Amino acid sequence: MKNIFKATIICVSAFALASCSDWLDTKTDSQIEETALFESVGDIQLAVNGVYADLCADPYDQLQTIHQGAGTDCELIDGFATEAESGENERAGMNYNASPGWAKIGTLWEKQYKTIEDCNRIVDGINGSNLKNEDAVMIASAEARVIRAMVYLDLVRVFGDIPFRWDAAKADRSNINQGKTDRDIILDEIAEDLENVVAENKLPWCDAVTQEHINMGYAKGLLANIYMTRAGYAIRENDDERAVAGGYSSSQKVADGYIKAEYSDDDYQTLRPSDEKCAELYSKAEQHLKDIIDRGIHDMNETFAGFWEAVNKLQLDPTHESMFEIPMGFGLKGELGYTIGVRMNDVTKDYGFTNSSGKIKT
């Protein structure tokens, strides 16, 4: 009896060890190998949905669109006394007194580069997939590439020359730490990639898909924006050692034919490309805008009030004036109603039912 008991313990122990080993080596049902993911059309589409989810986070419900988007010819974030001088809030940051200690700058940077990384992984995965020539997969690739271009354009507008990576992070992290790339090179690269997206002609127009998906009209509109941004004035790096080594210093740009703005200072010069280059870029932008108009799908709402009414009713604009809208998921909201307009400190019957900061003014 004792020997039978010993044998039973040994057998149970051996089974436990084997089971434990199997358990340690087993992935959960919710995980799949990335290479396997890109051999399924459904999984590829779900991956792209994840990128749309990235857009619903901080950058596009407030940071990129409101705080960083307010330094324009028609919108500003007001600054009051010490608030505009402390450097660690949007009132200071959007009045040219930003500080590296302002946490929202780092949050914007981190979240936007996460979206770029997700897009890079999708594009790389599709390029190595046996399904890469399937229509649905080509559409998914096009969506990821358009979103990637959009985010890079937004980052360039905020930060200027930035790190630029066109492929997913490698396992050994050899391509992680990169210096800055000339903003002109970045804009040229994303424009070229979007020209390929448009030429592939796989994206649907807005009469076949809602504005909450990347569509051909938005891709062409984004291309026009990239070309016009590339042709515009920008504050360039001074002639420090790093900028000179990278080929994007002010003196190098001037030597390449760039034109200095009359209002520019001498340390950080405001420059634009030559007249000939600008004419070329504007011509490309004009062609894509003409394509949008000639298609006859995107139209202007008769009044701004009509457009704004649909926004507040959570309705998609029936005229397709809005080419692409980032959908807010459950429990997520933008800060438009809180940040823009009349400042309220309490409940009012005139403007709404709660308080608002009223930071952004026209």
Side-chain angles (χ1 to χ4, degrees), residues 252-269:
Q252 287 166 306
K253 291 296 180 183
V254 171
D256 289 338
Y258 280 58
I259 296 173
K260 182 179 177 180
E262 293 180 1
Y263 52 82
S264 173
D265 65 24
D266 292 327
D267 292 328
Y268 294 93
Q269 297 185 37

Side-chain angles (χ1 to χ4, degrees), residues 54-90:
D54 288 344
L55 302 181
C56 294
D58 294 340
Y60 289 101
D61 73 6
Q62 56 172 303
L63 301 179
Q64 186 79 58
T65 47
I66 297 177
H67 298 153
Q68 304 292 347
T72 69
D73 293 337
C74 62
E75 288 184 333
L76 61 87
I77 287 184
D78 53 28
F80 302 115
T82 56
E83 278 188 329
E85 297 172 2
S86 70
E88 296 189 5
N89 60 64
E90 51 268 25

Side-chain angles (χ1 to χ4, degrees), residues 3 8 10 21 44 124 157 207 231 233 251 303:
N3 290 334
T8 302
I10 292 171
S21 176
I44 291 172
D124 285 359
R157 284 172 166 169
D207 55 350
Y233 283 103
S251 61
T303 65

Side-chain angles (χ1 to χ4, degrees), residues 17 19 59 120:
L17 288 171
S19 298
N120 284 342

